Every structure is written in structure tokens, then in C-alpha cells.
Amino acid sequence: MMIATNVSGRSYGTWIALLLSLLSIAGEVSAFGIIKPSSVGRPATRLSAQPKPKPFDPSYKAKPPTFNKATSLWEPSVETEEQPYGPWGSFLRGGPAPFVVRALNPADYDQAVFKYMAQTGCSRAEAQGNMDAFFNNAADWAYQKGEEARGRPVVDYTELKPKQAALVVTWALFVTPFLGRCAYLIAFTDKGWEITLDDVLSIGGMS
């Protein structure tokens, strides 16, 4: 009975930690002004309070998306290009956070992209790269935009860096499963925090 109680307590703690992680990602979507209690897609003033971001490619001249007051949504123009890459492209550029946003809230992700395009006059590819960076780490992204406003070089977030992609894949295929295995053993077995490396690597070590 004591073991069952401890396992149950650890299980609750693990699931609470997972829930907080998901809420953190959802909070980043809300911070960009996409999710509101009263409406979805209404433009927020938080990004407007920042210095206006500079586009990486100033030669891009296509007509930007516009805001439809009737629907409270950003709409692409007839010149807006198709998505340059899908969720896995976001995963390789920005890690799991933008991938989760696109998988769970694709419409909200597109709204963030259209809004950024309208504010900066940049391409859809550049807007997606910036939103992937934002959802991955909003604080670092905002700091970089502040530095760019003070004259620092503009970062090309559309670039798929091989080393960064390799690191993301390594975390996805090896590190994350390893940590997940540790969390499982701690939460759902009687080993608790006394697990060893052999327990983690052992396929049959579930007891």
C-alpha cells in the first residue's frame, strides 16, 4: 500500500510537470496576441510595443496580409506565397515548441505569421522563421529584435543550420526518450528516485 501511494504521488507530480510544460507553450502563443479569452486572432499590442522589426530581405515587395475587422482575423493577400515548409521544417529550425504549436493550433500559427508579415513587409518564409524562433524562445527573440533596432545585423531565421538540425534530431531521438524513460520509472514503478542507468537501459526493467 505504501509503495502504491508513493507511486501515485510521483505520477501526479510527473503529470503536473507535463501539464505545466504544455501550458507554457500555449502561453507563448497567447503572448503573441493570437489567443484571447473573447476572440481568436485579434491583433494585440504587445508586439507593437517593441521596436518595429526589420525584414532580413528588404527587396521583398509583395502585398502584405491585411486585417479583417469583421472576422478579427489576418488574411493573406493574393500575392502571399504558400507555406515554404511544414511543421517538420519548424521542428528542425526551432525545436519542439513551434512544432507543437503548428500541430495543435495551425490556424493560430498562421495568424501569427500573417501578422508578422503585415508589420514588417517580409516574406512568408521569413515570417515563419521568426515565429519559429519566437515560439522556441520568446525572450531571446525579443532581445535580438531590440538589438537589430539599435543597428545590429538582422538574423536570417529562415536558414536551416545543419548543426542545429542535428542537435534537434539528437534530442528528439535520444535525449527525450531517455528522459521520458526516467520519468516513467520514477512515476510508475517502485524504483522511484533510486533508478540506475541499468534500469533505464533495460527493456524489461519495468517492475
Side-chain angles (χ1 to χ4, degrees), residues 106-131:
D108 294 334
Y109 177 87
D110 286 340
Q111 284 293 292
V113 169
F114 294 150
K115 179 179 178 181
Y116 189 83
M117 292 178 67
Q119 291 180 328
T120 63
C122 71
S123 66
R124 188 166 187 171
E126 185 174 338
Q128 283 196 191
N130 274 272
M131 290 302 93

Side-chain angles (χ1 to χ4, degrees), residues 29 32-35 39-44 47 65-69 71-76 83 101-102 105-119 124 127-128 131 135:
V29 182
F32 196 73
I34 305 304
I35 297 178
S39 63
V40 176
R42 186 180 301 276
L47 185 61
T66 56
F67 182 70
N68 188 327
K69 294 183 179 180
T71 61
S72 296
L73 295 173
W74 291 94
E75 297 178 349
Q83 292 184 356
V101 171
R102 294 191 71 173
N105 300 297
D108 294 334
Y109 177 87
D110 286 340
Q111 284 293 292
V113 169
F114 294 150
K115 179 179 178 181
Y116 189 83
M117 292 178 67
Q119 291 180 328
R124 188 166 187 171
Q128 283 196 191
M131 290 302 93
F135 291 129

Side-chain angles (χ1 to χ4, degrees), residues 59-105:
S59 65
Y60 181 83
K61 300 299 181 183
K63 184 179 179 181
T66 56
F67 182 70
N68 188 327
K69 294 183 179 180
T71 61
S72 296
L73 295 173
W74 291 94
E75 297 178 349
S77 72
V78 294
E79 300 179 8
T80 300
E81 56 270 32
E82 296 295 325
Q83 292 184 356
Y85 55 83
W88 287 108
S90 295
F91 177 80
L92 292 176
R93 288 169 174 81
F99 175 84
V100 171
V101 171
R102 294 191 71 173
L104 300 181
N105 300 297

